[in-house]
Amino acid sequence: MIIQEIHEKLKSSTKPVARLYYKSGDVKILFIGFKKGMILDQHKTHLPARLMVICGKVTYIQASELTNLRQYEYKDIPVDIMHEVHAVEDSLCMLIQG
């Protein structure tokens, strides 16, 4: 249901759509949907995190380093480091924090 909800919300959204999938203590799993060209603006995480692409293609940007991620590829995100995500294609990502 969550992924279907994300796809539905993306039809009218101008920003990525994130939904909480699971939470227990400090562990959270979110799904983030993107339409091609959408940007998840610069931000920091305060918990260790991993971004995994379920489908599509995104570019993860940290400092001046660009990492292209395709289906099933992932990037570990360090704590307290500014980063952003750009959708190269319509994409669905899973973010695991904790």
Side-chain angles (χ1 to χ4, degrees), residues 4-40:
Q4 292 166 333
E5 180 184 336
I6 289 171
H7 283 298
E8 192 61 35
K9 294 277 186 188
L10 278 173
K11 291 178 183 177
S12 60
S13 182
T14 58
K15 297 182 179 183
V17 176
R19 291 292 179 268
L20 181 66
Y21 176 70
Y22 174 83
K23 181 176 180 179
S24 178
D26 285 342
V27 176
K28 285 197 290 188
I29 300 174
L30 296 99
F31 283 101
I32 307 169
F34 297 85
K35 287 191 287 190
K36 180 179 179 177
M38 285 184 168
I39 298 171
L40 185 58

Side-chain angles (χ1 to χ4, degrees), residues 32-78:
I32 307 169
F34 297 85
K35 287 191 287 190
K36 180 179 179 177
M38 285 184 168
I39 298 171
L40 185 58
D41 291 328
Q42 279 199 354
H43 61 283
K44 294 180 184 180
T45 181
H46 300 293
L47 296 169
R50 175 174 284 178
L51 180 71
M52 174 183 250
V53 178
I54 303 301
C55 65
K57 180 180 176 185
V58 301
T59 300
Y60 172 88
I61 302 170
Q62 176 183 312
S64 59
E65 181 183 327
L66 280 67
T67 304
N68 291 314
L69 301 171
R70 293 181 174 15
Q71 187 173 31
Y72 308 133
E73 294 179 336
Y74 65 87
K75 176 75 174 172
D76 289 326
I77 304 171

